[in-house]
């Protein structure tokens, strides 16, 4: 087993001059920077006072899960001889919130639309998804079920 370290820096950018002196007196915005990467402006969930134009932690978790799944899919498809020429996903995260605002994801549904070469074995292409959870850092780390509802287009 090999250990890997992942780092990021987050910095709150929402101080309007009086800090958190009042609940409505500050913005829920922050910057995310990963080593060598550009800053990504983020915010809180809009239901909790965040900016709906910016990604929030829940968006980022869902995007990380879908991105990890996609990258493993492309790798395993290449190994299996399935030629993929396009891949997009519109994942859905389903969460529950309690009255005090505490919450969690209860499931995620990945909905990739995968373009494969004409004549591809779609059974082989579809079976790849079942193998990904054994590899993907993010999928192996979440404590909620991840469903796959893939569609295929032969091009």
């Amino acid at each position: 087993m090999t250990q890997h370290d992942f780092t990021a820096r987050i910095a709150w950018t929402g101080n309007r001059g009086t800090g958190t002196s009042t609940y409505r007196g500050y913005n829920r915005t922050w910057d995310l920077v990963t080593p060598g990467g550009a800053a990504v402006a983020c915010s809180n969930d809009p239901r909790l006072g965040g900016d709906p134009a910016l990604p929030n932690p829940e968006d980022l978790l869902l995007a990380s899960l879908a991105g990890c799944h996609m990258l493993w899919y492309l790798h395993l498809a290449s190994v299996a001889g399935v030629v993929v020429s396009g891949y997009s996903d519109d994942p859905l995260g389903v969460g529950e919130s309690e009255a005090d605002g505490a919450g969690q994801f209860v499931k995620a549904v990945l909905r990739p639309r995968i373009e494969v070469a004409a004549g591809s074995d779609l059974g082989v292409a579809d079976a790849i998804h079942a193998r990904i959870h054994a590899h993907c850092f993010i999928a192996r780390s979440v404590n909620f079920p991840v469903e796959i509802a893939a569609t295929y287009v032969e091009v």
Side-chain angles (χ1 to χ4, degrees), residues 81-104:
V82 175
V83 177
V84 176
S85 60
Y87 188 112
S88 61
D89 195 349
D90 295 300
L92 170 68
V94 179
E96 293 179 336
S97 295
E98 297 178 19
D100 67 358
Q104 72 262 348

Side-chain angles (χ1 to χ4, degrees), residues 23-24 26-30 42-60 97:
Y23 182 73
R24 299 212 186 279
Y26 63 95
N27 287 337
R28 275 69 174 164
T29 56
W30 48 285
C42 300
S43 188
N44 198 10
D45 184 303
R47 288 177 291 253
L48 300 172
D51 182 341
L54 300 175
N56 60 57
E58 295 80 9
D59 295 335
L60 296 170
S97 295

Side-chain angles (χ1 to χ4, degrees), residues 7 9 20 22 26 38 42 44 52 54 69 71 74 77 87 95 102 120 125 134 136-137 144:
T7 62
R9 181 171 193 277
T20 59
T22 65
Y26 63 95
C42 300
N44 198 10
L54 300 175
H69 186 91
L71 293 169
L74 296 172
Y87 188 112
S120 294
C136 170
F137 264 65
F144 51 84

